[in-house]
Amino acid sequence: MRVSSLNVRARAVHERLARRYPKPRTELTWTTPWELLVATILSAQCTDARVNTVTPELFATWKSVDQMAEAEP
C-alpha cells in the first residue's frame, strides 16, 4: 500500500471513529498526551483506579519525557 492510500484510509477510520465516539473518555486521570500514554501502558498491568493513585507522584517526580528517560530504573 502506498503512503498516500494509507493516509486516506487512516483519515477515513478517524472520521468514522469520531462520528461513533464524538466525545471519547477514559477513567484515567491525565493532563498531557505523554501522561495519557504512560497511564495507558500502566493500566495494562493493574486497574485504572490504581494507576490514578500512583501517577500523581510519578509525574511530580519526573515532570517530562526527558527526565523519565534519564531516571534510574
Side-chain angles (χ1 to χ4, degrees), residues 26-47:
T26 178
E27 297 299 321
L28 298 170
T29 304
W30 58 279
T31 57
T32 67
W34 165 246
E35 289 180 5
L36 177 58
L37 175 63
V38 172
T40 301
I41 292 168
L42 291 173
S43 73
Q45 301 300 316
C46 59
T47 65

Side-chain angles (χ1 to χ4, degrees), residues 2-73:
R2 292 183 34 206
V3 173
S4 62
S5 61
L6 283 175
N7 289 341
V8 169
R9 187 170 181 202
R11 260 190 235 101
V13 169
H14 180 267
E15 289 170 6
R16 288 179 69 187
L17 287 171
R19 281 194 304 272
R20 175 90 184 230
Y21 306 103
K23 294 183 180 181
R25 62 190 251 346
T26 178
E27 297 299 321
L28 298 170
T29 304
W30 58 279
T31 57
T32 67
W34 165 246
E35 289 180 5
L36 177 58
L37 175 63
V38 172
T40 301
I41 292 168
L42 291 173
S43 73
Q45 301 300 316
C46 59
T47 65
D48 290 352
R50 182 67 178 154
V51 171
N52 290 338
T53 300
V54 301
T55 52
E57 183 177 346
L58 179 75
F59 297 135
T61 303
W62 296 287
K63 294 174 178 52
S64 70
V65 176
D66 293 330
Q67 285 180 354
M68 191 172 284
E70 293 174 4
E72 291 294 320

